[in-house]
Amino acid sequence: MTASATESGAKRTFTVRAGEASGDRIRLTVYDMLIGPVYTPRAFFYRETLDGEALRASLGRTLRNFPILSGRMKRDFDGGLSVLCDDGGVRFVEAYASEPMPDYGPRQTAKKGLERHLSHAMPFWVVDRDTPLFTVKLTHMKGGGSILGLTMNHAVGDGSSYMSFLESWMNEHRGLGYAKPSHDRGVIDTLGAAATGDTRTGGAHLTIIGRARKSAFIGRALLGSLGGTTTVTTRFTAAELATIKDTAMAD
């Protein structure tokens, strides 16, 4: 693992790298780009203060198995997109807050003000630029406790892949083993081979819709944003979550 740092006030910015680059170019599929190059955030709250140096070291080791996260997005000659596994690095910001950890819980959501605990990357400044596809911001709160804010470009990992990477990082950090992931998008191409040449509906994997159906869908989405839908928050106790997890793992 290699890391370089810059300092500014109450924060330090590092570039964490695996220390090795394969130079592979991973072609992104239509499934990767369905949402576009937007970043999805995650945040984890800890009562204890985390060790930033140890996290950077374990992250660098984990990136050896996830070179796509340490790469950079490039435009191909035919207009498509790929990720060049050049070990460009992951941005890791370590900051120190002047206020204590809020008493987050059922009566106090963590959503308000969450943006300041994330290190953002502009999705429209990703292709052919030195923009990281994964960022980390570790904020140490006054009096103890840390917030670990993460963003990942959706083109390189959906929700399941996101959590799989975090589980791998956790195991690496704890010195435990984990299965090495596959980044071969060719598997998806094989699955879609049966749809090749089907110009009627796009085949079994893609459906081409007309302008009217698209307009109707956008209309329903807009109506929902104006109050046509209801958001319900369901909370589980730690014991209930443990039961859910045990049940899922047993199947």
Side-chain angles (χ1 to χ4, degrees), residues 82 235 244:
S82 292
R235 304 187 186 280
I244 293 171

Side-chain angles (χ1 to χ4, degrees), residues 41-52 54-56 58-59 91-95 101 104 114 116-119 134-141 145-151 162 165-166 169-170 173:
R42 297 283 190 280
F44 300 88
F45 300 81
Y46 299 86
R47 296 187 184 279
E48 67 273 18
T49 300
L50 302 183
D51 185 336
L55 282 172
R56 288 189 291 276
S58 61
L59 174 59
R91 183 194 303 148
F92 191 117
V93 178
E94 188 167 5
M101 177 79 77
Y104 293 125
L114 183 63
R116 68 177 181 269
H117 299 304
L118 301 170
S119 178
F134 182 64
T135 72
V136 180
K137 186 173 183 181
L138 176 62
T139 304
H140 302 297
M141 308 304 292
S146 297
I147 300 175
L148 186 64
L150 313 167
T151 72
Y162 202 142
F165 165 73
L166 294 182
W169 183 12
M170 175 194 71
H173 190 77

Side-chain angles (χ1 to χ4, degrees), residues 190-222:
T190 300
L191 292 174
T196 301
D198 187 346
T199 59
R200 296 170 300 170
T201 63
H205 301 276
L206 297 174
T207 299
I208 300 174
I209 63 173
R211 183 175 298 177
R213 290 179 61 190
K214 183 185 294 185
S215 299
F217 172 78
I218 295 175
R220 289 196 301 272
L222 291 174

